[in-house]
Structure formats: structure tokens, C-alpha cells
Amino acid sequence: MKTIKTAFPHFAPYDRRGIETYLERQAEKGWMFFAFGTVGWKFIRIDPKKVHFAVTYYAEVSEYDSEDPEGLLSFRDYCAKAGWKFIDSNVKMQIFSSEDENPTPIETEVLTEVKNIHRIEKKQVISDFLYRSALFVICLLIIAVFIHKDAVKTLSNREILLMLLIIFIAFLLEVARIIEYYSWHRRAVKTAVEENLFLDVKNGRRVSGMATLIFVMGLLMLMTYFDWITVLLTGIMVVLGCAIMVFAWRWIKERRYSRKENWVIIFVVAFVVVALLREGLDFTLEKLDYVPQNTGFTGSAWEQYLQSPPLSLEDMYGEESSCNSQTMWVEESWLVADYEVRSYGEIGSESVSLGYSVIEIKCSMLYDVCLESELRSVLSHGKEYVLVDVAQWGADSVYRLRAGALEWENTWLLCYSDRLVGISMREEPTPEQMTLVCEVLGK
Amino acid sequence: MRLTISNIDIILQIGISIFDKGGSAMPREKFRTLTEQMFYILLCLRHECCGIDIMDKIPAMTAGRVAVGAGTLYHLLDQFLEEGMIRETRAEGRRRSYILTHKGTQALQTEYQRMQQQIQDFQRVIGKEDEV
């Protein structure tokens, strides 16, 4: 029979009565809490019995302390004198147990207890909120810069958008958490003053549990966008990274550095570990020479190849061609889809080529942003798109690429109602080819 | 501005003060009136006493009527120290002893007079009702 189990309960950190009730019920079922594990809460098998638990909080301790401070040890001495046995702590939360029938509670003055919880919790809740807000704002700024540089590439990248969505949801949950805590605190103070009772926390588990669920779902969704080798290697790297951090943490604690020194060391170690693992992942994928089906590595990202492009050399030239190479990239999100095709071949003895891109804009508000981005993209090469009047393309407006005053190129940007089509050929297209492009790519 | 740890603390404190406006305003001005437990803790400290021993002294003093929790006692001693109502006299390892200061004695006296006034008001009101 199993003698040790690990549980993953969700409680708001200030829900001391909820935690006490949960631990007492576990003891009645024959499971005694004995430690906070690296992951989860640890319970050991006992004969079912009635055990009183007390959850209390000590403010002047930090996760970066190498050892328990003198004040905390003194606090535990006080509790031990009152018959409470110390079990374990999770930084500021201290858990005690007593098998006496009617032990004097550790906290007998509710207002003092609520004040103490507030000293700890306000700093935690507000710092989490500020960090999440800063992260969200930084991500927004980064994406804004990316959109300014290349709107189509950014808006069609579903991984970036999904990550932004996850960070936004995490930010909203932090807002919910801070509102929930302050709402509870105000009512708890009122209840403590008027009735000398500790106010139970009603929905703490719900917000905490929802946050974890959304985070896990977001991760799973993100994983579905990658091939299985990348997911497997990423999983291995994450586990390795966590193991390294746990060992580093234990090593640092043994050295007994100060709280500030520990904070700096952990921050630096985490930064280095993440950077090394990221490089390790790319290095391993390259060394394995692994190319997932229908993908190509462009030097910074994997892009997907598809076998049958909508418009081929044969379609454009109306003749059989020996196609030397054909590649197609697709990047698609809920906002924008970007298809690019490059075909090179020969018809008879003549070399022909065809390159086109279709930017499908699913959200009409983004049309002008994408168009501006495409028009701007050629400026750094000393070229510009010029508005021309060529009705055969069947487009709402047509731009042609020009390098210098009179050097027109056979590169066009066609604006249709919900898409932009870029097309590039070696020679000037015929009216029939323009009509074909409109029919196949423009709708 | 370099983002040192102390600068991060300052930013955090500013954030906390913005959010916490009115959040820590307690209905009772700190130690203006004493709760029963505060009263008996201060009473125990008229003479030098080890903090941890107060837990036994109070039930003995009150025939078991009043008990102070270990955590409450610890936090209140901290707060009394901060307010200057008690001072530390000795430290033997982790065992620390305290005694009332002048400010603490005054707080005790003020509370005693308040309770006296309450008793007199009670006797006066109840006395009148009995007469009627």
C-alpha cells in the first residue's frame, strides 16, 4: 500500500481556515501532511485520527534566506511552548499541528491576525500584479515594434499571438486576484472588529485553479503548433532546466549567502540556464539534421512547405515546364495568413520563374496596417511601390515596384478587398496572365 | 537608474502605497484602546518578564479566563516594541525579556481609567433603573 502521496491543492495563500480544514480532513482519512515538496504537498500514511492544524504567517522571512532567521525560530519556540508542533513552512506560511483535544489557537486576536496577513499579502499580491503588468506592457511594446517593422510576419505568427494572449490572460487573472484579495481584506477587517471572527475565503481556490488551468491549456495549445521532436526536446530541456535550478538553489542555500546575494545569484543562474537551454535546443535540432515534414529552416524559424501551390508555372505559361524547384511557405494565425510561393523552371530552353505571395487579412481593421507595412518594406532597398492604373489585374488598387526614376520592375502589389497579392515575374505579364492571377489569387 | 534590489524595493513600496490607500486604516487607532489580551500582556510586563512566559502568566492571573495565542503574543510584543511601550531588557539565546516603558505604563493607566469610567457609568445607569 502506498505510504506517501503528493497532492496539489489550490488555496489562496491567506485562506488559512481552508488549508487547516483540508489538512484535518486528510488526517481523518489517514494522511498526515509532513512537508511542502519541490512540487506539491507531501502526505504520509497514518492511522486515521483527529489532528488540529494551525496555519500562521511570519512576515520577516524570504525565499532567498539561506537559513531560517532568528526571529522565526523564536516564533516557533513560542508556538512549541503552547503545544504546537512545527511541521513545515512555505516561506512565510508556517504549518503546525497539535493532538491535544482543545489546544489554544496560535492566533487568538483576529484583528492582529488580519493585520499580519495584510502585511505579507499586500506586498506579494501587488508585486505579482506589477510584474505581470510590466511583462504584459513589455510584450505589447515588443510586438508593436515588430508590427512596425513587419506587420504581416508578426500578425501571421500564431505562436507570438498565442503567447501574447496567454500573457494577457495571466495579467487579467492577476487583476482579478488583487481585487479579490482587497475585497476580502476590507470585509475581514470589518468582521474582525464587529464580530471578532476570521472571515473565510470563499473563491480563493477558484481563481488560483483557473490560472493554472489556463496556463496548462495555453501550453498544450502552443505545443500543437510544433512537431513532436521539437515538443519532446523542449520538454526535456524544461525538465533539465528545472532540475538545474533546484540543484543550484540547494547549493546556494548551503553557502549561506545573504538574502540579496541569493537573489542576484538565482536571477543570473536562471538567465544563463534559459539562454543555454534555448541554444542547446537549436543546436540539437541542427545536429540531428531533423527536418520535419514540409518545413525548412530559414536561420531563425521553421516555416512550412506545402506541396500544391494555387498557381503554378504551367498555369501561368500554359505549357508544360520542367520545374527545377518549387517552395511554398505558409504562416497563418487568426488575424492574417501569409502564403509565399517561389517556382523556378524551364519551358523549352527558356528559364522561367514565378514568385508570389498572398496576404489574406481576416480582420479588416488590420488591412491598412498590413498595406502600409508592405509598401514600407522595400524602402530600405532604395526602391518604392508606385500607384499605377492597370485594370486587367482586377484589383481595387495596383502598385508597381520602381528602383530609381524610370527603372520599373516586374513586381506588383495588388490590393483586393480582403487580401494583398504580391507577384514577381521575369518579364512583363500579359493581360491573360493578369486575369488569371485575379481569378486564382485575388478571390 | 540602475535596477538594483533597493531600487526595486522602492518601486514596490510606491506601488503598495498607491494600492493601499485606506487599505490599512483600522477602525481603532493603534493602541488607543487596548483589547483584553493587550491589557494583560502589558500588565505582565510591569516587572521584567520573559516574553514566552507570558503565555502561562495570563491564564494564572485570570483563573483561566483569558488565554493568549502564541502567535498573537509574539506579534503584539513586536508591535509594543515598535511603539516604544515596552523595551527589551535581556536576551539569553532566543529567550528575550521585556519590561514596560513609561509610555506603556501610561497606556495601561489610561485603559484602567477608561474601564473605571465604564464601571461607574454602568453602576449609575443600573442604579437608576433599580430605583425606578
Side-chain angles (χ1 to χ4, degrees):
Chain A
M1 189 168 62
K2 206 164 56 158
T3 54
I4 291 183
K5 77 167 182 178
T6 305
F8 302 91
H10 278 290
F11 290 100
Y14 47 94
D15 184 8
R16 68 112 169 133
R17 206 196 303 266
I19 297 170
E20 286 167 4
T21 308
Y22 169 75
L23 295 177
E24 283 165 11
R25 281 194 190 141
Q26 289 297 308
E28 282 168 10
K29 289 180 189 172
W31 290 103
M32 180 72 177
F33 171 74
F34 70 92
F36 289 105
T38 308
V39 178
W41 298 22
K42 303 286 185 195
F43 292 81
I44 191 165
R45 178 60 91 177
I46 57 166
D47 292 328
K49 58 181 169 181
K50 177 83 184 154
V51 179
H52 295 280
F53 284 88
V55 175
T56 184
Y57 306 90
Y58 187 82
E60 275 83 39
V61 64
S62 159
E63 57 258 69
Y64 299 106
D65 285 332
S66 297
E67 52 193 2
D68 292 330
E70 188 87 359
L72 176 57
L73 295 174
S74 180
F75 176 79
R76 288 179 191 158
D77 290 341
Y78 276 59
C79 296
K81 179 143 168 85
W84 288 97
K85 184 179 154 202
F86 172 68
I87 302 178
D88 200 8
S89 63
N90 186 7
V91 193
K92 299 183 198 297
M93 186 197 296
Q94 314 289 314
I95 304 219
F96 297 84
S97 71
S98 170
E99 292 185 32
D100 294 346
E101 213 171 298
N102 283 311
T104 304
I106 291 180
E107 305 287 350
T108 47
E109 200 167 85
V110 183
L111 195 58
T112 305
E113 183 184 6
V114 171
K115 256 197 213 180
N116 188 41
I117 288 173
H118 189 58
R119 268 176 72 196
I120 295 163
E121 209 44 42
K122 68 180 176 184
K123 194 171 179 182
Q124 191 63 53
V125 163
I126 290 169
S127 70
D128 285 351
F129 173 74
L130 288 175
Y131 289 141
R132 297 269 195 281
S133 306
L135 184 65
F136 178 57
V137 167
I138 289 167
C139 281
L140 271 184
L141 285 173
I142 290 172
I143 286 180
V145 167
F146 283 173
I147 288 176
H148 181 75
K149 277 188 162 174
D150 190 336
V152 172
K153 208 166 182 62
T154 307
L155 294 171
S156 61
N157 189 318
R158 56 194 165 191
E159 290 85 356
I160 289 178
L161 296 180
L162 183 60
M163 277 175 57
L164 181 65
L165 187 64
I166 292 169
I167 290 169
F168 177 61
I169 291 171
F171 165 72
L172 284 182
L173 283 168
E174 217 52 56
V175 170
R177 192 178 148 209
I178 205 171
I179 291 171
E180 184 181 59
Y181 170 70
Y182 271 91
S183 161
W184 173 84
H185 172 65
R186 281 182 203 281
R187 286 179 293 120
V189 167
K190 191 168 182 234
T191 309
V193 168
E194 290 176 5
E195 298 168 52
N196 198 33
L197 289 173
F198 186 85
L199 183 68
D200 285 343
V201 177
K202 288 244 168 77
N203 295 319
R205 292 175 79 158
R206 205 178 293 170
V207 173
S208 165
M210 204 187 318
T212 307
L213 186 65
I214 287 176
F215 179 71
V216 169
M217 279 173 59
L219 268 183
L220 289 174
M221 278 178 70
L222 204 55
M223 276 162 42
T224 61
Y225 293 140
F226 296 94
D227 59 281
W228 72 271
I229 285 267
T230 306
V231 169
L232 179 66
L233 283 174
T234 306
I236 292 170
M237 294 296 179
V238 167
V239 169
L240 195 60
C242 291
I244 292 172
M245 290 308 299
V246 167
F247 281 121
W249 184 237
R250 285 185 187 162
W251 181 86
I252 287 163
K253 284 250 181 181
E254 281 167 19
R255 295 288 172 284
R256 303 204 185 288
Y257 296 124
S258 74
R259 187 186 291 185
K260 277 189 183 172
E261 285 165 342
N262 283 341
W263 188 93
V264 169
I265 294 169
I266 282 293
F267 184 81
V268 168
V269 168
F271 186 81
V272 168
V273 165
V274 169
L276 284 176
L277 289 178
R278 183 73 183 88
E279 288 305 313
L281 178 64
D282 290 341
F283 178 79
T284 310
L285 286 170
E286 277 190 60
K287 276 291 170 199
L288 284 178
D289 205 20
Y290 176 70
V291 179
Q293 199 177 12
N294 299 331
T295 59
F297 191 70
T298 63
S300 62
W302 292 96
E303 290 179 337
Q304 191 177 18
Y305 288 56
L306 288 184
Q307 298 303 321
S308 48
L311 194 65
S312 65
L313 286 170
E314 285 80 10
D315 295 332
M316 277 299 266
Y317 293 97
E319 291 180 48
E320 282 282 326
S321 77
S322 56
C323 186
N324 295 338
S325 75
Q326 180 173 270
T327 54
M328 176 172 172
W329 292 266
V330 178
E331 277 267 35
E332 186 172 1
S333 75
W334 319 282
L335 301 175
V336 171
D338 181 18
Y339 308 79
E340 281 187 36
V341 177
R342 298 270 177 271
S343 302
Y344 300 92
E346 285 175 1
I347 293 179
S349 57
E350 204 180 319
S351 295
V352 290
S353 69
L354 175 65
Y356 59 88
S357 65
V358 178
I359 301 165
E360 197 184 318
I361 300 151
K362 300 176 189 179
C363 176
S364 56
M365 282 194 322
L366 299 170
Y367 192 94
D368 289 337
V369 171
C370 293
L371 176 58
E372 288 297 316
S373 177
E374 288 301 294
L375 293 175
R376 230 180 11 247
S377 65
V378 296
L379 295 177
S380 59
H381 303 295
K383 300 179 183 181
E384 59 170 340
Y385 274 112
V386 179
L387 192 64
V388 295
D389 182 13
V390 182
Q392 286 94 334
W393 288 113
D396 298 334
S397 45
V398 177
Y399 295 85
R400 189 172 180 180
L401 192 65
R402 186 172 73 185
L406 292 168
E407 286 178 51
W408 293 101
E409 294 190 14
N410 289 316
T411 299
W412 309 77
L413 183 64
L414 314 170
C415 305
Y416 295 96
S417 58
D418 65 342
R419 61 190 60 201
L420 303 170
V421 175
I423 188 155
S424 188
M425 297 169 68
R426 283 208 178 149
E427 60 291 314
E428 188 128 354
T430 63
E432 292 76 25
Q433 286 173 330
M434 291 181 190
T435 308
L436 180 65
V437 166
C438 173
E439 279 169 11
V440 175
L441 302 180
K443 297 186 169 96
Chain B
M1 181 186 81
R2 276 187 300 166
L3 213 62
T4 61
I5 291 167
S6 52
N7 284 340
I8 291 171
D9 278 341
I10 290 167
I11 293 167
L12 211 49
Q13 286 304 322
I14 292 169
I16 287 169
S17 63
I18 291 168
F19 276 95
D20 207 34
K21 262 187 197 166
S24 58
M26 295 293 178
R28 177 193 295 122
E29 195 184 299
K30 209 172 179 184
F31 302 136
R32 191 176 173 182
T33 57
L34 303 176
T35 63
E36 194 171 49
Q37 292 175 76
M38 288 176 189
F39 179 82
Y40 281 108
I41 291 170
L42 290 176
L43 200 58
C44 287
L45 292 174
R46 286 177 309 115
H47 305 291
E48 186 188 52
C49 176
C50 181
I52 208 168
D53 294 334
I54 294 175
M55 266 192 290
D56 294 330
K57 283 198 161 183
I58 291 178
M61 200 186 278
T62 60
R65 187 179 61 81
V66 178
V68 179
T72 299
L73 172 63
Y74 186 91
H75 295 310
L76 284 177
L77 286 173
D78 243 0
Q79 287 176 35
F80 288 147
L81 259 178
E82 218 175 280
E83 287 293 310
M85 293 165 77
I86 63 174
R87 62 178 174 86
E88 192 177 299
T89 54
R90 255 191 308 174
E92 291 161 344
R94 292 203 293 263
R95 286 179 65 88
R96 290 168 195 271
S97 300
Y98 307 93
I99 194 165
L100 272 189
T101 61
H102 177 65
K103 188 176 179 185
T105 307
Q106 272 189 323
L108 210 50
Q109 195 65 34
T110 306
E111 184 65 18
Y112 168 70
Q113 285 165 358
R114 191 185 69 80
M115 287 193 291
Q116 280 284 83
Q117 192 61 55
Q118 268 185 300
I119 292 168
Q120 286 168 16
D121 291 339
F122 175 85
Q123 286 170 341
R124 194 174 54 248
V125 168
I126 296 298
K128 269 193 184 156
E129 283 181 11
D130 284 346
E131 277 170 24
V132 170

